[in-house]
């Protein structure tokens, strides 16, 4: 397509499911509740939700955290917690981590499914402990706080 500096225009063309979900988040979530999304390497598509919504997330690009903090200690602590959140079938462990990190929303799109190999049992876990507030295409968004408007 035509070159653009508009990241949302690029997102709409290249990742329409994420684009629609991010638009929904921007229109419906108020305040700055923490949203969980999969972290990834620098200059990749990971961190797309927090980057396009302004919502805080546990970890976007760990390498950038290393550059800013001068240590990888915090990202190294969060990466396994994020993996556990997405992959564990233990609802109690998941709820404990959601509480520990103050996570109100969980984003599951194609990147999360691919990175963590998510299957029906993981989706069933989320369905049992959180409210599904958005589902379109390949994206699901869960809320812990009982709906939109900031959790």
């Amino acid at each position: 397509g035509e070159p653009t500096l508009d990241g949302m225009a690029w997102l709409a063309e290249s990742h329409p499911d994420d684009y629609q979900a991010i638009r929904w988040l921007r229109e419906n979530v108020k305040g700055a509740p923490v949203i969980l999304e999969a972290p990834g390497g620098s200059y990749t598509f990971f961190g797309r939700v927090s980057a396009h919504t302004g919502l805080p997330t546990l970890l976007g690009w760990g390498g950038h955290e290393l550059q800013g903090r001068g240590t990888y200690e915090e990202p190294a602590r969060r990466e396994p917690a994020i993996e556990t959140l997405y992959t564990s079938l233990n609802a109690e462990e998941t709820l404990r981590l959601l509480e520990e990190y103050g996570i109100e929303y969980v984003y599951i799109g194609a990147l999360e499914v691919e990175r963590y190999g998510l299957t029906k049992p993981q989706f069933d876990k989320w369905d049992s402990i959180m409210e599904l507030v958005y589902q379109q295409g390949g994206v699901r968004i869960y809320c812990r706080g009982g709906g939109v408007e900031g959790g």
Side-chain angles (χ1 to χ4, degrees), residues 67-143:
Q67 291 172 341
R69 296 174 186 266
T71 176
Y72 204 75
E73 184 177 324
E74 188 61 26
R77 187 173 75 83
R78 291 181 181 208
E79 283 176 345
I82 294 167
E83 182 172 356
T84 297
L85 280 159
Y86 277 113
T87 62
S88 173
L89 298 179
N90 183 324
E92 287 181 26
E93 177 180 40
T94 301
L95 288 167
R96 181 187 61 75
L97 287 168
L98 291 171
E99 183 68 29
E100 178 181 339
Y101 288 102
I103 298 166
E104 295 296 325
Y105 289 89
V106 173
Y107 189 97
I108 302 177
L111 284 180
E112 288 74 20
V113 171
E114 182 180 334
R115 172 150 188 185
Y116 297 112
L118 303 182
T119 60
K120 186 175 181 332
Q122 281 94 12
F123 287 108
D124 290 345
K125 173 193 73 174
W126 292 114
D127 288 333
S128 74
I129 63 173
M130 295 181 82
E131 180 182 350
L132 180 64
V133 293
Y134 178 91
Q135 182 174 10
Q136 183 175 327
V139 176
R140 292 182 184 200
I141 302 172
Y142 292 91
C143 180

